[in-house]
Amino acid sequence: MKYIDEYRNKELIRIISDKIRSVLTKQISIMEICGGQTHTILKYNLEEFLPAKINLIHGPGCPVCVTPIDYIDKAIELSMKDDVILVSFGDMLRVPGSEKDLLSARANGGNVRMVYSPLDSVKIASENPDTKVVFFAVGFETTAPANARAVIEADRLGLINYYMLCSHMLVPPAIEALMSNNKVKLDGLLAAGHVCTVMGLREYELLSEKFKMPVVAMGFEPLDIMNAIYMVVNQIEENRFDVENQYSRTVTREGNAHAIEIINKVFTKEDREWRGIGVIKNSGLKLRNEYSKYDALLNFDFEKKETMVIGNCIAGEILQGLNKPAQCSSFGKECKPEHPLGAPMVSSEGACAAYFRYKRSKN
Ligand code: SF4
């Protein structure tokens, strides 16, 4: 297929829906990892095309949602320093920290700027040599290469006023932690196509083998998702647990060698806390020692503060697929996109925002 509307064609979706119904014999739970895919499922009402025997569980793949509160508090603290410009992607500005978000910090005099590309933060640093510029780098394997590129560029320019507050997360260790949690019951996994485009499929082969779990790397359009569900259902019905590639128009088994190389050149793994979930071994990226002069955590003093969750937010349970947004007592009441209590109501990839936007009226 060549055009986007073909991937949204209702007749084709119905054909795959019939195929799924014709092979599925039992009750199953499948997790889609990525919040972008959760939004597609809700936006196109794909659950209506699926048999009731399929329970779709929404996973932790929203980078804004899993950024630890402590990092947001630190970003806010940096923004309030006289000699600092805090630079971030727009999504991060409204994510609540312990007491406030970056947008409120800006309203209270904090120097916060929004960018669309990590290289913009390098440009700001080169244009403001007397000010320290800190880029709040969040995201999964998908954004890591561009952020690594920004550090290399700052180094090439010899900038001495550029820093990175690095909250990068890695998806496979989080999946492994979820699968090791007895409360999370899964029969199949839909892996995020963009992460697999960068990293390839090898890590998922290890996970699939370890947990005897069918895995399908999946794209982002409605037909991609229906097709990937059909592939997982077939594996379950045939008692197979393979890694299959639905998103073959961009994903290869090896991934993007150049992107992986640049990530490994700049970053190294460390244990990292996931908001609402806890610390997951080797699930974060930090700057390598060679680039430690750019590490904001090592080059600024921070106040020691206890972090707090606002209200009754159960984001941790939602991010682990243990509950759905509508089961949160604050959903659509105290917590709405214009007044979010938790990160999943803020982000364009957050499950609570998706339910509010596409499903609230039905509930
Ligand atoms: S609806 Fe709001 S309060 Fe409830 S889990 Fe989602 S973000 Fe948290």
Side-chain angles (χ1 to χ4, degrees):
M1 288 191 289
K2 238 170 135 184
Y3 302 108
I4 199 81
D5 56 341
E6 294 169 311
Y7 288 93
R8 298 174 183 177
N9 181 308
K10 262 195 175 174
E11 276 320 299
L12 294 176
I13 290 171
R14 265 188 236 289
I15 289 170
I16 299 182
S17 165
D18 291 343
K19 285 185 175 184
I20 293 170
R21 286 173 203 280
S22 71
V23 291
L24 183 64
T25 60
K26 53 190 163 197
Q27 195 78 37
I28 56 170
S29 293
I30 304 173
M31 176 180 274
E32 86 277 359
I33 302 292
C34 171
Q37 291 161 335
T38 303
H39 272 252
T40 302
I41 289 166
L42 291 163
K43 180 175 179 182
Y44 293 94
N45 208 6
L46 295 184
E47 283 170 318
E48 207 160 84
F49 293 88
L50 294 172
K53 289 194 187 97
I54 296 182
N55 177 29
L56 287 182
I57 297 177
H58 316 307
C62 162
V64 170
C65 301
V66 295
T67 299
I69 296 177
D70 178 47
Y71 276 65
I72 294 165
D73 290 346
K74 284 187 165 62
I76 291 169
E77 190 181 333
L78 286 169
S79 77
M80 300 306 289
K81 293 183 187 289
D82 290 340
D83 58 347
V84 170
I85 300 173
L86 192 283
V87 181
S88 174
F89 295 133
D91 259 12
M92 289 309 300
L93 300 193
R94 294 184 57 241
V95 179
S98 293
E99 290 163 7
K100 58 185 167 195
D101 56 27
L102 279 165
L103 215 52
S104 334
R106 186 159 75 177
N108 289 319
N111 199 344
V112 180
R113 294 199 200 170
M114 193 186 88
V115 289
Y116 293 101
S117 154
L119 284 177
D120 290 343
S121 65
V122 178
K123 186 162 179 272
I124 292 170
S126 64
E127 289 170 354
N128 295 273
D130 299 327
T131 309
K132 295 170 181 168
V133 173
V134 183
F135 179 53
F136 190 10
V138 302
F140 294 126
E141 292 89 334
T142 41
T143 48
N147 290 344
R149 179 78 184 80
V151 173
I152 290 170
E153 181 64 5
D155 207 34
R156 190 187 70 80
L157 294 172
L159 298 181
I160 55 168
N161 63 329
Y162 184 76
Y163 303 90
M164 186 172 275
L165 178 59
C166 187
S167 177
H168 266 298
M169 313 298 220
L170 298 169
V171 173
I175 297 173
E176 184 165 8
L178 278 182
M179 287 181 167
S180 305
N181 180 346
N182 290 335
K183 288 190 204 155
V184 181
K185 306 279 182 218
L186 288 181
D187 300 291
L189 205 61
L190 301 167
H194 49 4
V195 171
C196 297
T197 300
V198 176
M199 302 303 291
L201 298 173
R202 288 176 186 273
E203 292 171 295
Y204 294 93
E205 289 169 0
L206 299 175
L207 289 173
S208 173
E209 180 65 37
K210 180 173 177 182
F211 294 99
K212 315 279 180 245
M213 178 73 59
V215 178
V216 175
M218 166 171 100
F220 296 83
E221 291 299 325
L223 208 56
D224 288 324
I225 292 172
M226 292 296 288
N227 205 9
I229 291 171
Y230 178 52
M231 292 164 79
V232 165
V233 167
N234 269 322
Q235 285 200 44
I236 293 169
E237 289 294 337
E238 292 165 10
N239 288 320
R240 288 189 291 121
F241 50 89
D242 298 321
V243 175
E244 294 180 324
N245 183 7
Q246 183 280 324
Y247 203 33
S248 55
R249 56 192 191 274
T250 72
V251 173
T252 62
R253 180 166 185 253
E254 309 304 326
N256 182 322
H258 180 60
I260 293 170
E261 187 189 334
I262 196 172
I263 292 173
N264 291 335
K265 178 180 164 73
V266 173
F267 298 117
T268 184
K269 291 180 186 174
E270 67 171 357
D271 298 350
R272 176 65 50 78
E273 187 195 341
W274 290 52
R275 185 172 183 153
I277 297 177
V279 175
I280 301 177
K281 197 167 172 46
N282 280 331
S283 69
L285 290 178
K286 67 171 183 177
L287 290 165
R288 284 189 176 277
N289 286 343
E290 303 89 287
Y291 295 102
S292 60
K293 62 184 173 188
Y294 300 113
D295 191 333
L297 290 178
L298 300 177
N299 290 285
F300 290 89
D301 293 324
F302 294 95
E303 288 173 26
K304 287 205 175 2
K305 278 201 294 195
E306 287 292 310
T307 57
M308 289 184 301
V309 176
I310 304 172
N312 302 321
C313 182
I314 58 162
E317 291 171 35
I318 287 165
L319 292 165
Q320 293 173 86
L322 298 172
N323 263 317
K324 295 206 174 174
Q327 290 166 295
C328 171
S329 60
S330 299
F331 176 80
K333 296 174 194 146
E334 301 90 20
C335 185
K336 297 178 180 179
E338 60 271 26
H339 180 255
L341 294 184
M345 189 56 97
V346 177
S347 168
S348 57
E349 295 187 27
C352 299
Y355 269 68
F356 189 89
R357 189 159 176 199
Y358 303 117
K359 211 167 177 173
R360 188 170 49 123
S361 53
K362 294 194 174 135
N363 289 322

